Amino acid sequence: MTNAPDEPKPAAGTPTGPVLFYTETLLEHFRNPRNVGELAEADTDGFGLVGDPSCGDQMKLWIAVRDGRIAKIAFQSFGCPGAIATSSMLTELAEGKPIEEARRITDDDVIEALGGIPENKKHCSLLGVQALQVALGDWEGRQAAKAARS
Amino acid sequence: MTNAPDEPKPAAGTPTGPVLFYTETLLEHFRNPRNVGELAEADTDGFGLVGDPSCGDQMKLWIAVRDGRIAKIAFQSFGCPGAIATSSMLTELAEGKPIEEARRITDDDVIEALGGIPENKKHCSLLGVQALQVALGDWEGRQAAKAARS
Amino acid sequence: MIYLDHNATTPLRPEALEAMLPWLGERWGNPSSPHRFGHDARVAVEGARERIAACVGCRPSEIVFCGTGTESDNLALRGSAHALRPKGRHLVTTAIEHHAVLHTCRALEAEGFRVTYLPVSAGGVVDLDALEASLGPETILVSVMHANNDTGVVQPVEEIAALTRERGVRLHVDAVQTAGKLARRPGDLGADLVTFSAHKLYGPKGVGALYVREGTPLTPVTTGGGHERGFRAGTENVAGIVGFAEAAARTFDGLEAESRRVSGLRDRLERQLLETVPRVSVNGAGSTRVPNTSSLSFQGIDGESIVLGLDLRGICASTGSACSTGEPEPSHVLLAMGLSRREAQGSIRLSLGRATRDEDVDVTVAALAETVQQLRRISSVR
Amino acid sequence: MIYLDHNATTPLRPEALEAMLPWLGERWGNPSSPHRFGHDARVAVEGARERIAACVGCRPSEIVFCGTGTESDNLALRGSAHALRPKGRHLVTTAIEHHAVLHTCRALEAEGFRVTYLPVSAGGVVDLDALEASLGPETILVSVMHANNDTGVVQPVEEIAALTRERGVRLHVDAVQTAGKLARRPGDLGADLVTFSAHKLYGPKGVGALYVREGTPLTPVTTGGGHERGFRAGTENVAGIVGFAEAAARTFDGLEAESRRVSGLRDRLERQLLETVPRVSVNGAGSTRVPNTSSLSFQGIDGESIVLGLDLRGICASTGSACSTGEPEPSHVLLAMGLSRREAQGSIRLSLGRATRDEDVDVTVAALAETVQQLRRISSVR
Ligand SMILES: Cc1ncc(COP(=O)(O)O)c(C=O)c1O
Ligand SMILES: Cc1ncc(COP(=O)(O)O)c(C=O)c1O
């Protein structure tokens, strides 16, 4: 019965900082997220599903590729405002980009585009970039499969 | 060198109460103490000197006895306001009283006459009554000595 | 703005501010100073103590002023543990306590104490049988909150008091979330130690109090000039204490009528919400709760996002207890009640107060419905 | 009323009250609440932290807000002792510290720590050789006040810091009586921990601060929601913290000119007094002192009686540190300086402040002369 509740002891001296330093841009993306939804099966050239086990956030991302560029991109996200806004911003950054450029998008690019994100929310921003990488990997796999078939 | 400073550890839970609950009567006796001074050697039938080692207070008290009554009384006091006022009040209570009555004056009588005294000042009020007892003892001794001589 | 975060903090009553102003102005004396100007402040502090004792139902000498509710909890737990160490090293508490209690228990564990964290039912109520079974010859203190800050669920502290009294074990009750909400006088609960926090009952931030039943062994946590009968040293926050008393007196006065009013609003809110929004559940709904609190779980979306959605619509809500760390941890209270991590993550707390009106409830339900719908449209989880 | 008890507490600056009012009124949010209304309060607290850090000369993240100066002292001492216990169990302090330090050392002795209480010279200055000799391999912390509250005598903390740094021993400095009085920035003293109290520098009661140099090991005393970076849990006293910052900023600004003014008044007071009243001595007169403090010993009479005599003439003075117990103990500081019990008992403290004027000094000297004469007339001691 001595089951200690499952939660962390506060390590004295760890900087925590304000809870809520959302930028206007972040709030705008939270309010009006871009590219929300899913792509039709037929439209989808790549798909990624990633989750952050530490906070339970989850993200799904679809891409359609035309002429070596991301022609369409769509996402769904379960998570905190940071997760939603970074996902939305990521799709905006990726849309229309050549594959190689899209591959080079980093978390910092997304954070910078949002004008920053609270320190304790940074881990959420990982999901978008990760999901894109997974989707691009999926696309590559499909390309390879197609090439093998043809 | 590990000489701990000479002071009491605060015992948690000991009631202390307000520092300063002096009654108007006490203040009046502090401002205008009665019977201050000393009696001349010739006038003195009894003398008492007492000190409170815990707070350093000291009191001297002189009495002149006529017809079994305290005809004159005088005091000097080194001490806190409580010590001064209780001494003054004691002399007022004792003046003119028959010896037996004077002997029966208690600390509580003095405190009551002053309308009360802060809890943490009560030990000061002991001095006056004590000094009177000593002075009455001194007077008795002198009487006995006189009786033996005559 | 519609403020539905009264369990985090409450607005200061204007009358309390009024009562504080002289002590922030021309009557600035130190209550321990040996002159009449200081004495004036002493009288104010002792008068406030009497007023609070009257609200709480105890003797003035049983009230110890602290700086926060958290500090009062620390004094109760650390103070008891250190005073009673020779008798035993076992403490009993629950898995749903406030962090002020839980993290203090952790600190005591690091000092060599053993702590039992009792489970709660799905309804959020501590298991009395488990409590009774946990008590041993080594047990020195039981600490159970009166009502939980996240769910509002009221714990059976009177029954617990009967058990602990029988066993000669001391009982601490954190009444931060019930003082000023429940009609029961905290002094009548049968506890030896009871925690209060001024800013949760329309008093100022920076003042708490611990009821210490006469004769309760307690080692001070903060030592110094012997203030508060040696239980809590440090120059008294005179204005804060006076404001606390004014707020408490006014909040306890007319408490029953206000409680009825607020619980009516809370019930209306939950009813409307359950009618309007699909896939939502009310945590602890079947249990006795304080009148003002509603803990809600929405499937498939995140609580922080809901709170921000409401915030952008002018409504202040919370994901649960206001912890300063900003950690993404879901509520330990809801987890202890058996919710999954994702269910717990999809929860928010609405806590109503004196200023809440019918219209606020209607506006909130509409805003919630909108926010939830929007977030579910985005969500990757059904 | 002439108020000469500024070492006990100071009036709140009107500008500080002004700065506090919004946080006692319409901006009552909890800084930890996850909405913009709470965030507003968070910004206020962090802004106040930056202002105080700028006054003190440190980083904002090195300031921990507490409820009193006493609590800050407790955090420094208990927190260091508990964090450094594995390294050793020996602490060094002085015989003239405030009770917040001394009684906490006593409590630590009861926990198994060993404490050295260093003697001071007749002038009230800690003996540096004794300090150096006291440091051993087991020594984990030295705690020395910057200036003494009874005498105003300034301690050589920079020299001490050089010694402790060399030996790798942590240093705590209680700067409650120098912050806002001495031009030296507390952050430049070389200490690892420095205590401040708002109400001693024209801020509100109920707020203190501890400077914790980055990387200083410290175990929290009050645990809970992780506020103040885990060093001091509990909902922040937002208004108090904002008032503290406003008062500190204004008090540190123009400090040198005001210090010169006040020390001029204090010197004038002592000069006049020595000319007017026989058998009086100034304690610590030959030592460096803070500008506002005068500790006076009158032969043959009692300090409390002098203070009451002044009180009845409209002057607020003190017998020494404002301890709440009302105990008749003479100042342990003066005893440590070699005064006899009776000499110490015949002492009072006059502490000047911002509002003190030339006329106040003249009136005070006249009132003192009268009071002393009257009490000596009554006294049984010469
Ligand atoms: C030197 C010193 N340290 C600590 C304190 C305690 O500060 P506070 O009154 O804020 O508890 C005081 C004031 O009483 C003091 O003078
Ligand atoms: C149940 C409970 N206990 C303790 C506390 C802590 O009180 P404070 O905010 O005054 O530190 C709170 C509030 O946060 C609470 O809800």
Side-chain angles (χ1 to χ4, degrees):
Chain A
M1 202 183 305
T2 309
N3 55 322
D6 177 27
E7 28 132 8
K9 231 170 152 180
T14 32
T16 50
V19 179
L20 204 71
F21 267 136
Y22 293 141
T23 63
E24 273 311 310
T25 315
L26 188 148
L27 290 177
E28 209 277 312
H29 274 263
F30 172 78
R31 247 190 273 242
N32 304 303
R34 324 295 196 254
N35 307 305
V36 168
E38 23 189 334
L39 296 189
E41 188 68 49
D43 259 4
T44 305
D45 296 315
F47 172 72
L49 163 63
V50 293
D52 180 338
S54 89
C55 71
D57 287 1
Q58 192 200 66
M59 183 177 177
K60 292 179 181 168
L61 185 126
W62 292 260
I63 51 172
V65 179
R66 295 287 171 274
D67 307 328
R69 289 177 183 266
I70 295 184
K72 283 193 206 163
I73 186 163
F75 83 97
Q76 288 181 336
S77 168
F78 166 82
C80 69
I84 292 172
T86 53
S87 302
S88 164
M89 178 54 90
L90 170 89
T91 64
E92 198 163 81
L93 290 182
E95 191 170 19
K97 281 235 164 60
I99 296 297
E100 319 80 72
E101 272 185 51
R103 225 187 250 299
R104 287 199 298 273
I105 298 172
T106 63
D107 299 330
D108 287 343
D109 293 336
V110 177
I111 292 172
E112 198 190 312
L114 287 169
I117 195 164
E119 198 52 50
N120 56 35
K121 288 285 155 207
K122 287 218 164 136
H123 65 102
C124 314
S125 72
L126 296 167
L127 283 191
V129 172
Q130 262 181 38
L132 178 58
Q133 297 294 338
V134 173
L136 287 170
D138 181 38
W139 169 76
E140 250 170 34
R142 296 187 195 205
Q143 290 300 98
K146 246 189 235 171
R149 258 182 280 130
S150 64
Chain B
M1 203 183 306
T2 308
N3 54 325
D6 176 25
E7 27 131 10
K9 233 168 148 180
T14 31
T16 51
V19 179
L20 204 70
F21 266 136
Y22 293 140
T23 63
E24 273 311 312
T25 314
L26 189 148
L27 290 178
E28 210 277 310
H29 274 264
F30 173 78
R31 246 189 274 243
N32 303 303
R34 325 293 195 254
N35 306 306
V36 169
E38 22 189 335
L39 295 190
E41 187 69 50
D43 260 4
T44 304
D45 296 313
F47 172 72
L49 163 64
V50 293
D52 179 336
S54 89
C55 69
D57 286 3
Q58 192 201 65
M59 183 179 178
K60 292 180 183 167
L61 186 126
W62 291 259
I63 51 172
V65 179
R66 297 285 171 274
D67 306 327
R69 290 179 181 265
I70 296 185
K72 283 193 206 165
I73 186 164
F75 82 97
Q76 287 181 336
S77 167
F78 166 83
C80 69
I84 292 172
T86 51
S87 302
S88 165
M89 178 54 90
L90 170 88
T91 62
E92 200 166 80
L93 290 181
E95 191 170 18
K97 281 235 162 64
I99 296 296
E100 319 80 71
E101 271 184 51
R103 226 188 249 298
R104 287 199 300 273
I105 298 174
T106 64
D107 299 330
D108 287 343
D109 293 336
V110 176
I111 293 172
E112 199 191 312
L114 287 169
I117 194 164
E119 197 52 52
N120 55 36
K121 288 283 155 208
K122 287 219 165 136
H123 65 101
C124 312
S125 71
L126 296 168
L127 284 192
V129 171
Q130 262 181 39
L132 178 59
Q133 296 295 337
V134 174
L136 287 170
D138 181 37
W139 170 76
E140 250 171 34
R142 295 186 195 204
Q143 291 300 99
K146 247 190 239 171
R149 255 183 281 129
S150 65
Chain C
M1 184 183 83
I2 298 176
Y3 184 81
L4 298 179
D5 199 13
H6 288 85
N7 284 12
T9 196
T10 55
L12 183 63
R13 274 180 184 266
E15 307 94 336
L17 175 57
E18 208 57 50
M20 290 167 72
L21 285 176
W23 310 101
L24 297 170
E26 72 279 8
R27 297 168 85 173
W28 76 80
N30 185 324
S32 300
S33 281
H35 40 68
R36 287 170 300 173
F37 187 61
H39 187 222
D40 183 41
R42 166 67 53 206
V43 170
V45 168
E46 299 312 319
R49 197 186 308 279
E50 280 168 28
R51 292 184 81 182
I52 287 175
C55 292
V56 164
C58 70
R59 272 174 270 193
S61 61
E62 294 175 321
I63 293 292
V64 174
F65 288 118
C66 294
T68 60
T70 296
E71 188 192 335
S72 309
D73 279 343
N74 271 260
L75 176 54
L77 287 154
R78 293 172 185 264
S80 296
H82 293 153
L84 298 170
R85 197 195 310 241
K87 287 187 106 179
R89 290 167 168 257
H90 179 231
L91 286 79
V92 175
T93 188
T94 82
I96 60 164
E97 297 300 307
H98 190 269
H99 284 163
V101 167
L102 285 180
H103 288 150
T104 303
C105 284
R106 293 302 181 87
L108 289 170
E109 285 182 306
E111 284 183 33
F113 290 89
R114 195 164 56 81
V115 183
T116 301
Y117 301 90
L118 297 170
V120 296
S121 69
V125 182
V126 66
D127 186 330
L128 274 180
D129 292 336
L131 191 149
E132 188 158 15
S134 76
L135 299 176
E138 275 271 298
T139 312
I140 49 175
L141 182 77
V142 172
S143 177
V144 176
M145 67 202 320
H146 197 187
N148 182 267
N149 41 301
D150 279 3
T151 62
V153 171
V154 177
Q155 306 300 320
V157 292
E158 281 104 329
E159 281 95 315
I160 295 170
L163 276 178
T164 52
R165 207 177 308 114
E166 194 183 294
R167 305 290 198 100
V169 174
R170 300 284 168 174
L171 175 64
H172 167 240
V173 170
D174 179 338
V176 167
Q177 291 295 348
T178 53
K181 291 178 190 164
L182 293 187
R184 196 102 174 78
R185 291 206 312 174
D188 299 336
L189 294 173
D192 301 289
L193 300 153
V194 184
T195 296
F196 305 98
S197 179
H199 75 98
K200 307 279 187 181
L201 45 70
Y202 305 94
K205 294 174 183 60
V207 207
L210 185 65
Y211 157 76
V212 181
R213 183 197 294 284
E214 198 175 299
T216 306
L218 201 69
T219 301
V221 169
T222 307
T223 41
H227 311 75
E228 296 297 314
R229 296 162 54 238
F231 286 129
R232 197 264 188 177
T235 299
E236 297 91 340
N237 179 351
V238 180
I241 287 169
V242 167
F244 183 8
E246 184 69 34
R250 290 187 182 261
T251 303
F252 274 82
D253 187 40
L255 187 159
E256 290 194 49
E258 173 64 8
S259 282
R260 263 196 308 280
R261 189 189 74 84
V262 169
S263 80
L265 286 178
R266 194 263 319 268
D267 294 347
R268 172 192 170 121
L269 187 151
E270 292 181 349
R271 207 167 45 240
Q272 286 190 20
L273 199 69
L274 291 167
E275 281 165 10
T276 320
V277 179
R279 291 186 291 143
V280 55
S281 54
V282 179
N283 300 306
S287 309
T288 309
R289 289 183 291 164
V290 288
N292 78 317
T293 310
S294 190
S295 169
L296 305 163
S297 291
F298 298 86
Q299 243 174 277
I301 51 178
D302 174 75
E304 274 186 66
S305 291
I306 306 172
V307 165
L308 181 58
L310 292 178
D311 190 12
L312 294 171
R313 287 169 175 86
I315 299 163
C316 295
S318 167
T319 41
S321 67
C323 255
S324 72
T325 51
E327 284 301 318
E329 283 299 305
S331 157
H332 65 279
V333 178
L334 300 180
L335 294 178
M337 289 164 68
L339 272 70
S340 71
R341 266 183 100 76
R342 198 159 267 169
E343 283 166 337
Q345 200 186 333
S347 304
I348 66 165
R349 176 185 72 186
L350 301 178
S351 45
L352 287 56
R354 285 181 60 230
T356 314
R357 295 286 168 270
D358 283 1
E359 314 81 83
D360 299 333
V361 167
D362 303 344
V363 172
T364 300
V365 169
L368 251 176
E370 229 177 85
T371 302
V372 167
Q373 196 183 14
Q374 187 186 340
L375 289 170
R376 284 197 173 141
R377 195 175 62 80
I378 305 172
S379 181
S380 59
V381 173
R382 284 300 137 234
Chain D
M1 183 183 82
I2 298 177
Y3 184 80
L4 298 179
D5 198 13
H6 288 85
N7 284 13
T9 195
T10 55
L12 182 63
R13 275 179 182 266
E15 307 94 336
L17 175 57
E18 207 58 50
M20 290 167 74
L21 285 177
W23 311 100
L24 296 170
E26 71 279 9
R27 298 168 85 173
W28 75 81
N30 184 324
S32 300
S33 281
H35 39 68
R36 287 169 300 173
F37 187 61
H39 188 221
D40 183 41
R42 167 65 55 206
V43 171
V45 168
E46 299 311 320
R49 198 186 308 279
E50 280 169 29
R51 293 184 81 185
I52 286 175
C55 293
V56 164
C58 70
R59 275 174 268 193
S61 61
E62 294 176 321
I63 292 292
V64 174
F65 288 118
C66 294
T68 60
T70 296
E71 188 192 335
S72 309
D73 279 343
N74 272 260
L75 176 55
L77 286 154
R78 292 172 185 265
S80 296
H82 294 153
L84 297 170
R85 196 195 310 242
K87 286 187 107 180
R89 290 168 169 256
H90 179 229
L91 287 79
V92 175
T93 188
T94 80
I96 59 164
E97 297 301 306
H98 190 268
H99 284 163
V101 167
L102 284 181
H103 288 151
T104 303
C105 284
R106 294 302 181 85
L108 289 170
E109 284 182 309
E111 285 183 32
F113 289 89
R114 194 164 57 81
V115 182
T116 302
Y117 301 90
L118 297 170
V120 295
S121 68
V125 183
V126 65
D127 185 330
L128 275 180
D129 292 335
L131 193 151
E132 189 159 13
S134 76
L135 299 176
E138 274 270 300
T139 313
I140 50 176
L141 182 76
V142 171
S143 177
V144 176
M145 67 203 320
H146 197 188
N148 180 266
N149 42 300
D150 279 3
T151 62
V153 171
V154 176
Q155 305 301 319
V157 292
E158 282 104 328
E159 280 97 314
I160 295 171
L163 276 177
T164 53
R165 208 178 307 114
E166 194 184 292
R167 304 291 197 99
V169 174
R170 300 283 168 176
L171 175 63
H172 166 241
V173 169
D174 178 338
V176 167
Q177 291 294 348
T178 52
K181 290 178 190 165
L182 294 186
R184 198 101 176 79
R185 291 205 313 175
D188 298 338
L189 293 173
D192 301 290
L193 300 152
V194 184
T195 295
F196 305 98
S197 179
H199 75 99
K200 306 280 187 179
L201 44 72
Y202 306 95
K205 293 174 184 60
V207 206
L210 185 66
Y211 156 77
V212 182
R213 182 197 294 283
E214 198 174 299
T216 306
L218 201 68
T219 301
V221 169
T222 307
T223 42
H227 310 76
E228 297 298 312
R229 296 163 55 238
F231 287 128
R232 198 263 188 179
T235 299
E236 296 90 340
N237 179 352
V238 180
I241 287 169
V242 167
F244 182 10
E246 185 68 35
R250 290 186 182 262
T251 303
F252 274 81
D253 188 40
L255 186 158
E256 291 194 49
E258 173 63 7
S259 281
R260 261 195 308 280
R261 189 189 74 83
V262 168
S263 79
L265 285 178
R266 194 260 320 264
D267 294 347
R268 173 194 169 116
L269 187 150
E270 293 181 350
R271 208 167 43 242
Q272 287 191 19
L273 198 70
L274 291 168
E275 280 165 11
T276 319
V277 178
R279 292 184 292 145
V280 55
S281 54
V282 180
N283 300 304
S287 310
T288 308
R289 290 184 291 163
V290 289
N292 78 317
T293 309
S294 190
S295 170
L296 305 163
S297 291
F298 297 87
Q299 244 176 275
I301 52 179
D302 174 76
E304 274 186 67
S305 291
I306 306 173
V307 165
L308 181 58
L310 292 177
D311 190 11
L312 294 171
R313 286 170 176 86
I315 299 165
C316 296
S318 167
T319 40
S321 67
C323 258
S324 72
T325 50
E327 286 300 319
E329 282 300 303
S331 158
H332 65 280
V333 178
L334 299 181
L335 294 178
M337 289 164 70
L339 271 70
S340 71
R341 266 184 100 76
R342 199 159 266 170
E343 282 166 339
Q345 199 186 333
S347 303
I348 67 164
R349 176 184 72 187
L350 302 178
S351 45
L352 287 57
R354 284 181 62 230
T356 314
R357 295 285 168 270
D358 282 1
E359 314 81 82
D360 299 334
V361 167
D362 302 345
V363 171
T364 300
V365 170
L368 251 176
E370 229 177 84
T371 302
V372 167
Q373 196 183 11
Q374 186 184 339
L375 289 171
R376 286 200 173 137
R377 195 174 60 82
I378 305 172
S379 181
S380 60
V381 173
R382 285 297 139 233

